[in-house]
Amino acid sequence: MERVSSKHSPRVDDNMSQEVSGLVQGPGAGGSRVEEDRQPEPAGEDQPEPKTVTAGPSRGGNPQGMSMDDVEGRSRLGRYITMSALPGDRETLIANARENDAPDDIIADLATLPDGTRYETVSEVWAALGHKNETTRW
């Protein structure tokens, strides 16, 4: 057995290497979470897709110029478009979203993008789909 570090025990070395394996192996549909069992399960057929924000009035956490629905929608879109697809055109974004098991409504929205335009960020894609982005970044 070859030791990687003389500061820690082999068990701690193994645990530390697993902690960064997602960062080393690259992002997938769930960001840096590589293990399949760490991916959230999709909503059931007759169930609404869960939101990360509770119901009720906003507490001021949404950026200026965007509603909480805009924030949720752009975030949802960003879950299915990985950094490897950007910059990319309509066909690249659709192919990437399909690889990441995007729902049909996301694929349909991406299909409405104009042909021949390259998008640098998810925010640019979101704006091209006719939605609002924040008016000030900081």
Side-chain angles (χ1 to χ4, degrees), residues 81-97:
I81 300 174
T82 60
M83 295 302 294
S84 62
L86 297 169
D89 60 358
R90 177 180 68 185
E91 300 307 318
T92 304
L93 297 173
I94 290 172
N96 185 258

Side-chain angles (χ1 to χ4, degrees), residues 16-28 31-35:
M16 290 174 72
S17 69
Q18 288 177 358
E19 288 176 3
V20 297
S21 67
L23 298 172
V24 173
Q25 293 179 4
S32 64
R33 296 181 176 173
V34 178
E35 295 100 18

Side-chain angles (χ1 to χ4, degrees), residues 1-18 20:
M1 178 175 181
E2 182 178 315
R3 296 273 314 263
V4 178
S5 168
S6 61
K7 292 182 178 182
H8 309 291
S9 69
R11 180 179 55 85
V12 174
D13 284 343
D14 288 342
N15 286 341
M16 290 174 72
S17 69
Q18 288 177 358
V20 297

